[in-house]
Amino acid sequence: MDKNNIMRKLPKVADLLEETEIKDLMTIFNRNYLTDILRESLETVRVKIMEKLESGDATDKSENELKDEVISLAINKLSFSPYSLRPVINATGVVLHTNLGRAPLPEEAMKRIEMVAKAYSNLEFDIGRGERGERYSHVRELLCDITGAEDAMVVNNNAAAVLLCLSSLASGHEVVISRGQLVEIGGSFRIPDVMAQSGARLVEVGTTNKTHLKDYEMAINENTALLLKVHTSNFKLVGFTSQVSNEELITLGAKHNLPVMEDLGSGVLVDLKPYSLPEEPTVQDSVKAGMDLVTFSGDKLLGGPQAGIIVGKKGYISKIKRHPLTRAVRIDKLTLAALEAVLRLYKDGLWQHIPVLAMLTESKDAMENRARKLAEGLEGVLTGKGKVEIVDDVSQAGGGSLPGAEIPTRAVAVSVHDISSGELAERLRKVPTPVIARIKKDKLLFDVRTITEKDVEKIVEMVGKAL
Ligand SMILES: *Cc1c(COP(=O)(O)O)cnc(C)c1O
């Protein structure tokens, strides 16, 4: 086969840019970037032909075949990742973004996950005694130490923890709860539905805005098995309102020999008040008040892996552990490895290493540097085609935590001539590392609070690709 003949059949970059498949890609990538990729792909095909000619096993190809080869190679190079689940950059400023995976884990947790994942472990093996052990044992003591509780266990998530507690302690019986606490959290977890699923009967007392101790008292009868308090984690009741305090509820429970349980939702373990964040009841507060059981999430304000944590009195926890549902909602070993590492950070007074807490407590001043770097970088790729400014804005905790809290933040606002902010936001979702930003007043906002130092360069690179 003639070398010159086949090389002549190779497509020209200018012609490739007119192909529909490539034209379609121009809605996502800019023309220069596509041209580079096509040139590279063309070169790869050329080199491959040369090699085959030299080794004498080249087959003749039509112009169309060669063109398709280059295009499919280019599309391959552009295709972001063969994986479905992959990292994105969260520039929304919503720290616990449930759709974006809630809490990013600290380095310490990653190391433990890796070690435990690639080897056998003492997951359910008591090394000292050489016999079967309990998977909760790896975090039990830490949880008791940190929260002050008598006993602790962990399951797959907090929704499972609530379901399990209700099923174990109140199935076939009545559970008394204030009407103002019948919450629905995202993903269709509603207290009345969970209650029904557990086989417990819901007895709502009080009114939407006010519930008094006597409302609970009047509802208690021989069928009552539990008094439940649910933290209204994703909304705020303001105005003429009142709820019964933990202390009052616990005293009432004790008087009638009934366990009192609190679903705290987020379950924060440190006092966030010194950081100008709204007051959020800590797990320690609830335990200290005397709650018999407290449940909370591992991946909300705690900043760890997805998990449901149950702390409380030994007798109740032992009963819960024996319930058949426990096996169905059990925690996985990688989660346990991560959770142990995160809890150790709390125990060692190193909670600042936990990304969620570091992000939430970072001051506006501390963010200024990152904001400036990002703004400069973006100006560099915009080259006068738009406007970049650093603005004041507010971040949110998200994930049904710290409802209504508006945390002052710094953001980089971008507007590009000829491209609407909606269009730019869309393009930024389709680049190799998707950047999820926020639109406000027709500007695209990158909230610096949830952007790491490393993300800054990446965002600049991705905006360059998107333009
Ligand atoms: C978030 C939340 C849950 C569910 O926790 P997951 O860990 O997401 O399953 C349950 N109750 C309350 C009050 C919550 O805020």
Side-chain angles (χ1 to χ4, degrees):
M1 195 182 32
D2 179 38
K3 179 180 158 188
N4 289 335
N5 193 21
I6 189 162
M7 288 301 173
R8 225 176 292 131
K9 288 187 196 165
L10 280 171
K12 293 195 167 51
V13 172
D15 294 335
L16 288 169
L17 284 166
E18 294 307 308
E19 292 291 321
T20 3
E21 283 157 289
I22 300 298
K23 272 186 163 163
D24 285 346
L25 287 168
M26 278 189 210
T27 59
I28 310 172
F29 301 102
N30 79 32
R31 198 184 166 91
N32 289 345
Y33 181 64
L34 276 177
T35 309
D36 287 348
I37 294 290
L38 287 169
R39 211 168 268 140
E40 269 175 45
S41 307
L42 193 58
E43 187 52 29
T44 308
V45 171
R46 199 195 313 272
V47 169
K48 217 158 70 189
I49 293 171
M50 292 292 284
E51 283 169 358
K52 288 205 166 166
L53 280 169
E54 268 167 36
S55 63
D57 68 346
T59 44
D60 203 359
K61 284 181 179 166
S62 71
E63 279 179 33
N64 269 337
E65 282 173 324
L66 287 167
K67 188 175 69 195
D68 288 347
E69 205 177 329
V70 177
I71 289 176
S72 80
L73 198 63
I75 288 174
N76 247 330
K77 276 182 204 257
L78 289 166
S79 87
F80 329 129
S81 161
Y83 292 94
S84 169
L85 183 60
R86 57 212 162 94
V88 303
I89 291 173
N90 175 10
T92 64
V94 180
V95 178
L96 293 163
H97 201 303
T98 299
N99 302 144
L100 303 183
R102 284 199 189 154
L105 293 176
E107 214 37 64
E108 288 86 345
M110 301 315 304
K111 278 195 206 123
R112 299 308 305 173
I113 290 176
E114 196 190 343
M115 289 175 84
V116 169
K118 64 185 185 193
Y120 291 106
S121 64
N122 60 337
L123 179 63
E124 287 186 355
F125 184 68
D126 185 325
I127 291 175
R129 295 198 198 149
E131 56 190 43
R132 197 198 151 96
E134 221 182 33
R135 66 177 63 207
Y136 314 118
S137 67
H138 308 291
V139 290
R140 199 191 144 274
E141 234 177 84
L142 280 165
L143 282 167
C144 292
D145 270 5
I146 297 164
T147 65
E150 248 177 60
D151 203 359
M153 68 180 285
V154 278
V155 295
N156 184 60
N157 59 9
N158 187 35
V162 175
L163 176 65
L164 180 61
C165 290
L166 294 176
S167 305
S168 315
L169 303 179
S171 187
H173 295 276
E174 294 179 359
V175 173
V176 186
I177 181 174
S178 159
R179 185 162 285 155
Q181 296 171 4
L182 294 176
V183 302
E184 168 179 324
I185 58 158
S188 72
F189 175 94
R190 297 170 131 192
I191 290 294
D193 298 345
V194 176
M195 195 76 78
Q197 204 50 244
S198 75
R201 259 193 325 280
L202 171 78
V203 178
E204 36 180 312
V205 296
T207 59
T208 307
N209 57 328
K210 281 203 173 210
T211 304
H212 306 287
L213 189 64
K214 65 173 192 294
D215 296 326
Y216 285 93
E217 189 136 36
M218 270 157 44
I220 295 174
N221 62 53
E222 70 279 6
N223 283 322
T224 310
L226 182 80
L227 305 182
L228 178 64
K229 181 178 177 184
V230 176
H231 185 43
T232 52
S233 44
N234 54 3
F235 74 103
K236 228 171 156 171
L237 217 50
V238 291
F240 187 59
T241 66
S242 75
Q243 293 290 331
V244 174
S245 75
N246 281 359
E247 286 73 12
E248 287 175 298
L249 208 56
I250 288 155
T251 309
L252 183 67
K255 188 171 141 196
H256 294 272
N257 212 6
L258 290 171
V260 184
M261 167 177 156
E262 184 173 22
D263 172 16
L264 263 182
S266 216
V268 69
L269 295 174
V270 288
D271 184 7
L272 295 174
K273 254 184 299 166
Y275 301 90
S276 323
L277 290 165
E279 196 167 347
E280 174 83 6
T282 63
V283 179
Q284 291 90 323
D285 290 340
S286 296
V287 170
K288 204 166 161 199
M291 280 290 168
D292 294 291
L293 287 169
V294 183
T295 70
F296 52 100
S297 284
D299 56 352
K300 290 189 182 171
L301 287 177
L302 193 145
Q306 179 191 304
I309 300 167
I310 309 171
V311 300
K313 306 272 164 71
K314 230 185 186 90
Y316 295 119
I317 299 227
S318 300
K319 192 166 177 198
I320 294 167
K321 279 184 189 165
R322 290 194 298 270
H323 193 276
L325 202 54
T326 303
R327 173 57 204 269
V329 297
R330 85 173 174 189
I331 192 162
D332 147 76
K333 64 178 179 179
L334 303 188
T335 308
L336 264 177
L339 186 61
E340 184 188 0
V342 172
L343 292 173
R344 249 173 224 292
L345 292 175
Y346 281 102
K347 176 139 192 256
D348 298 340
L350 295 171
W351 61 261
Q352 285 90 345
H353 289 208
I354 298 167
V356 165
L357 293 174
M359 284 188 261
L360 279 170
T361 57
E362 190 175 28
S363 71
K364 243 171 64 175
D365 289 344
M367 280 184 266
E368 198 60 34
N369 217 0
R370 273 194 332 278
R372 242 182 249 139
K373 261 194 207 157
L374 180 59
E376 274 167 26
L378 291 175
E379 251 155 23
V381 290
L382 272 170
T383 56
K385 282 181 288 195
K387 202 170 146 205
V388 180
E389 54 192 325
I390 301 175
V391 296
D392 277 330
D393 207 67
V394 285
S395 315
Q396 279 168 21
S401 307
L402 310 177
E406 298 202 322
I407 310 163
T409 193
R410 294 293 268 169
V412 178
V414 172
S415 53
V416 183
H417 314 318
D418 310 326
I419 304 176
S420 73
S421 52
E423 164 83 21
L424 186 58
E426 188 184 332
R427 289 192 195 181
L428 276 172
R429 290 197 305 272
K430 294 177 180 169
V431 290
T433 304
V435 182
I436 317 299
R438 188 163 82 219
I439 295 172
K440 193 173 178 182
K441 290 188 191 146
D442 210 38
K443 284 190 177 125
L444 201 59
L445 245 60
F446 301 88
D447 188 325
V448 178
R449 185 173 298 280
T450 47
I451 295 169
T452 65
E453 196 79 42
K454 268 196 191 145
D455 290 340
V456 170
E457 250 175 72
K458 202 79 193 169
I459 292 175
V460 172
E461 187 190 336
M462 292 306 128
V463 171
K465 279 195 204 301
L467 288 175

